[in-house]
Amino acid sequence: MTDFSDGTTSIVEGKVFTEGTEKLECIISSELATYNELSVGDEIILSNPQNEEETYSLSVVGIYKKASSQGDMSSRFGFTMSDPANEIYLSYSALDSIAKKSEEKNSDDTSLSLKNTLNATYTFADVKDYEIFEEEVYTLGLDEKYTVSSSDITAFENSLVPLETLSTTAGYFLVVILLIGAVILIVLNIFNVRERKYEIGVLTAMGMKKGKVALQFIAEIFIVTICAVIIGVIVGGISAVPVTNALLENQNSASTMQSQQIKENFGRESNMGGMTPPNMGEIAPDGMGDKMPDSGSLMGGFPGTQAMRNYVTEVNSAMSFTVVLQMLLIALGLTLVSGVVSALFVMRYEPLKILSNRD
Amino acid sequence: MALLSLRNIDFSYGKTPVLKGVTLDFEEGKTYCIVGKSGAGKTTLLSILSGLASPTGGEILYNGEDIKSINKYEYRSKYIGVIFQSFNLITKFTALENVVLSMDIASVKGSVRDKKNKALELLKSVGLDEDEANRRVLKLSGGQQQRVAIARALSYDAQIILADEPTGNLDEETQKEIMDIFKELSKQGKCVILVSHSKSVAESCDVRFELTRLGKR
């Protein structure tokens, strides 16, 4: 119904069905009305595809028109079921009453009931709403045998796989680099302090407090760190996007190859994903996933395209203010550690000993 | 009252005694020379006087006050000006910077410009011109480095000047010039204490103390 609220679809004749009643009223598209010579007030008969003797008569109360015809491609290729022009809207109460009647009519063989083929699709503004819905729907009594899923989120998560793999690898790499860097930094600072032992001896012999000398060393390290961070941020800012994209490209190739290998070996992909409409949440009976038509193909995609993966192939911004802040904090942390080690060395030195050894 | 007094000072390196029961008094306006053979403990005594080493026994009084009650860093940076045998200048600094640095350590009041001007004056008073003052100390001769060390010791107006072998590596003419500077300082009311084994230095001082091994006077 978002098409109606955002104005891409509007009622051109009649009115919208009445909500909250079980009256079998519906609205149909202008194309459907034209091709079937229907107008407001006409009756249309719908039958259960599982049991054609089971029919329902719906009264057309309104005709709608879409601003753009999204279903052209699918209708051109003959996928009438996925042609949006064939979409018939009716109220939830009316649909519920049809489902109940179908269940009653097929009490001998419940597998023929329309209820089994109903697939509820909900549209959410963002993922948070979807997560809240996922929790609420079970709280409100949805049977455990139903699963709430979003092919859109799955597709999105699938598209992030290479990026996440890259992020994990880069994370481990970063930890190793930081550890090695920290050790090198500490060792270099120790060497620096030892190199400048004489200076420490002279300064303390002249009456400068050891703490002040240590602070001077720490300040020097911090100045170097700040300069290094500035250079790092500039170089990182320039190279982050191309380097990330190059790494991502490699990662994508590896993921695609892996995906193809799985497909070759098992005849299908490891999980669903691919072209689906945005922000769709679905409720399907547990275990019915494979039997049910994919919402992607229902809503204008092509059958089988769920096997295609739309990996994230490009990042526009690999460095944000938060990343810079994190880098700065890590750098300052490392500097502080190495500075403290340097300071401990400074505090250990006795001026007389240093100067006598020199003499 | 003596400006600086040593009372029964003992000092030993581990179990080896170097000084034992040394009692000396130093007054303002005089030059003192501590003489003695190598290993007699002259430099050790100077280290004790400068607060770089602590005696194992006895006490050191500055204006009648035990220096233990004075912060050792303050004692070193304000009360005592030390001229080390090997000068101990910051080699990457210029002569001027070395002098200004000691003023900063002693918290001498004044702007950077004032301190620089005072440092230039001091360097000039010990015989270094502006060009030499702005030269890195490593590019100065031994005698010039000695003068920088003297200027540094005088930069914060310490009452006591300690000098370890101040003329050790200098030619006769420079030795004489340096000694003249020390005499001039004593005339200005400073207490100048020199450690030397040079007879000529000892003879030119007002008072001489001779150290023998185990700290006998």
Side-chain angles (χ1 to χ4, degrees):
Chain A
M1 297 300 284
T2 47
D3 288 350
F4 286 89
S5 55
D6 65 20
T8 52
T9 303
S10 58
I11 297 289
V12 290
E13 205 182 324
K15 55 168 188 168
V16 182
F17 46 77
T18 319
E19 265 292 354
T21 70
E22 293 186 358
K23 271 187 193 174
L24 298 184
E25 294 174 343
C26 68
I27 54 169
I28 58 171
S29 69
S30 55
E31 291 100 322
L32 193 65
T34 308
Y35 286 115
N36 293 283
E37 294 174 351
L38 293 169
S39 56
V40 173
D42 286 351
E43 295 278 321
I44 54 169
I45 309 287
L46 298 181
S47 66
N48 180 352
Q50 311 291 331
N51 179 7
E52 289 191 358
E53 288 172 10
E54 183 192 337
T55 57
Y56 299 93
S57 177
L58 275 76
S59 164
V60 177
V61 293
I63 294 169
Y64 67 84
K65 189 169 176 59
K66 282 183 188 290
S68 62
S69 186
Q70 293 175 341
D72 281 358
M73 284 290 277
S74 48
S75 61
R76 209 175 297 151
F77 283 92
F79 308 130
T80 49
M81 192 172 70
S82 47
D83 186 349
N86 287 337
E87 285 173 8
I88 299 169
Y89 291 87
L90 61 159
S91 72
Y92 169 76
S93 306
L95 186 67
D96 192 41
S97 81
I98 290 173
K100 279 175 186 164
K101 280 175 192 167
S102 177
E103 202 168 28
E104 280 169 23
K105 284 177 184 174
N106 296 294
S107 53
D108 297 339
D109 185 359
T110 51
S111 65
L112 301 175
S113 169
L114 274 174
K115 213 170 185 180
N116 289 331
T117 53
L118 282 180
N119 184 18
T121 303
Y122 296 82
T123 306
F124 300 101
D126 62 41
V127 179
K128 275 183 186 170
D129 291 341
Y130 167 77
E131 284 165 356
I132 293 166
F133 169 80
E134 197 178 13
E135 274 180 28
E136 274 186 0
V137 80
Y138 288 111
T139 318
L140 293 171
L142 181 72
D143 199 296
E144 292 275 318
K145 71 179 180 179
Y146 287 92
T147 55
V148 181
S149 67
S150 165
S151 50
D152 188 32
I153 291 176
T154 311
F156 176 67
E157 282 170 354
N158 280 340
S159 71
L160 292 180
V161 168
L163 199 61
E164 277 169 0
T165 313
L166 185 65
S167 168
T168 312
T169 315
Y172 287 131
F173 194 62
L174 183 71
V175 170
V176 172
I177 294 267
L178 283 178
L179 286 175
I180 295 172
V183 171
I184 291 173
L185 196 64
I186 290 169
V187 171
L188 281 178
N189 274 321
I190 291 171
F191 275 118
N192 179 39
V193 172
R194 287 172 72 94
E195 278 282 302
R196 293 169 64 184
K197 206 157 91 170
Y198 164 70
E199 189 184 323
I200 297 166
V202 173
L203 291 173
T204 46
M206 283 164 69
M208 189 183 268
K209 287 177 185 168
K210 280 183 184 176
K212 213 170 173 180
V213 179
L215 272 177
Q216 181 201 311
F217 274 78
I218 293 173
E220 283 176 19
I221 300 165
F222 268 97
I223 290 167
V224 173
T225 301
I226 297 295
C227 294
V229 167
I230 291 169
I231 295 169
V233 167
I234 294 169
V235 174
I238 294 167
S239 61
V241 173
V243 168
T244 308
N245 283 337
L247 291 171
L248 199 57
E249 201 183 326
N250 287 339
Q251 194 60 48
N252 278 344
S253 315
S255 298
T256 309
M257 270 181 67
Q258 195 184 17
S259 180
Q260 278 171 352
Q261 266 183 337
I262 291 171
K263 201 176 174 184
E264 278 167 21
N265 294 336
F266 297 99
R268 55 167 288 184
E269 294 224 29
S270 55
N271 50 26
M272 306 284 280
M275 294 166 70
T276 54
N279 302 322
M280 301 302 282
E282 291 172 20
I283 300 178
D286 199 16
M288 291 287 283
D290 292 341
K291 294 176 194 167
M292 293 177 71
D294 179 76
S295 65
S297 54
L298 261 177
M299 301 299 288
F302 297 96
T305 50
Q306 77 272 18
M308 291 167 67
R309 286 166 188 271
N310 294 327
Y311 291 137
V312 173
T313 53
E314 207 174 285
V315 287
N316 295 327
S317 171
M319 232 167 131
S320 63
F321 177 71
T322 317
V323 172
V324 172
L325 201 67
Q326 282 172 341
M327 272 174 63
L328 185 69
L329 287 177
I330 291 170
L332 292 181
L334 285 179
T335 308
L336 194 67
V337 171
S338 58
V340 168
V341 174
S342 305
L344 289 174
F345 268 78
V346 170
M347 300 303 268
R348 271 179 47 201
Y349 291 138
E350 284 303 324
L352 185 63
K353 212 169 178 182
I354 297 170
L355 300 178
S356 339
N357 286 345
R358 189 178 163 85
D359 289 340
Chain B
M1 187 174 66
L3 183 62
L4 192 66
S5 305
L6 301 182
R7 295 279 174 270
N8 292 314
I9 293 295
D10 295 338
F11 190 89
S12 54
Y13 286 113
K15 286 182 180 175
T16 315
V18 180
L19 301 173
K20 201 171 181 186
V22 177
T23 299
L24 297 170
D25 285 319
F26 303 97
E27 291 172 12
E28 288 175 72
K30 285 184 179 174
T31 50
Y32 295 86
C33 187
I34 299 165
V35 291
K37 289 179 180 170
S38 294
K42 302 186 297 293
T43 302
T44 302
L45 185 63
L46 197 83
S47 300
I48 290 171
L49 287 171
S50 62
L52 286 172
S54 302
T56 45
E59 57 181 6
I60 306 162
L61 306 174
Y62 179 83
N63 266 336
E65 190 183 354
D66 193 334
I67 66 163
K68 280 178 189 164
S69 61
I70 304 170
N71 181 299
K72 64 178 176 183
Y73 294 108
E74 199 179 328
Y75 176 74
R76 273 184 228 159
S77 65
K78 290 180 181 171
Y79 303 157
I80 301 274
V82 187
I83 300 151
F84 297 95
Q85 189 173 4
S86 52
F87 321 130
N88 289 340
L89 300 168
I90 305 282
T91 48
K92 61 186 173 190
F93 282 5
T94 62
L96 184 68
E97 284 165 345
N98 267 281
V99 179
V100 173
L101 175 69
S102 72
M103 288 187 201
D104 287 336
I105 293 172
S107 308
V108 172
K109 285 179 183 170
S111 65
V112 178
R113 180 172 285 190
D114 291 343
K115 285 178 195 172
K116 275 189 177 174
N117 287 339
K118 191 185 170 186
L120 278 172
E121 266 177 43
L122 280 168
L123 288 165
K124 202 176 172 186
S125 71
V126 293
L128 292 173
D129 60 30
E130 198 169 336
D131 177 51
E132 288 160 336
N134 285 304
R135 244 185 260 166
R136 290 198 172 202
V137 288
L138 274 183
K139 290 189 174 174
L140 297 174
S141 68
Q144 287 169 325
Q145 286 187 38
Q146 182 72 286
R147 289 164 203 264
V148 177
I150 294 169
R152 185 177 69 179
L154 298 173
S155 64
Y156 43 92
D157 211 22
Q159 275 301 98
I160 300 167
I161 303 294
L162 300 176
D164 190 6
E165 301 285 3
T167 56
N169 300 312
L170 306 178
D171 57 74
E172 270 186 35
E173 194 184 336
T174 315
Q175 271 187 36
K176 197 181 169 299
E177 282 170 15
I178 297 289
M179 282 312 295
D180 287 343
I181 293 169
F182 287 133
K183 278 180 187 167
E184 182 58 33
L185 288 172
S186 70
K187 275 183 196 165
Q188 289 168 18
K190 308 267 183 205
C191 169
V192 180
I193 305 167
L194 311 176
V195 166
S196 179
H197 53 244
S198 159
K199 254 189 176 178
S200 60
V201 169
E203 279 165 5
S204 61
C205 288
D206 300 325
V207 186
R208 286 172 296 279
F209 297 117
E210 189 176 349
L211 281 181
T212 54
R213 289 196 179 184
L214 292 177
K216 286 178 186 171
R217 272 177 68 180

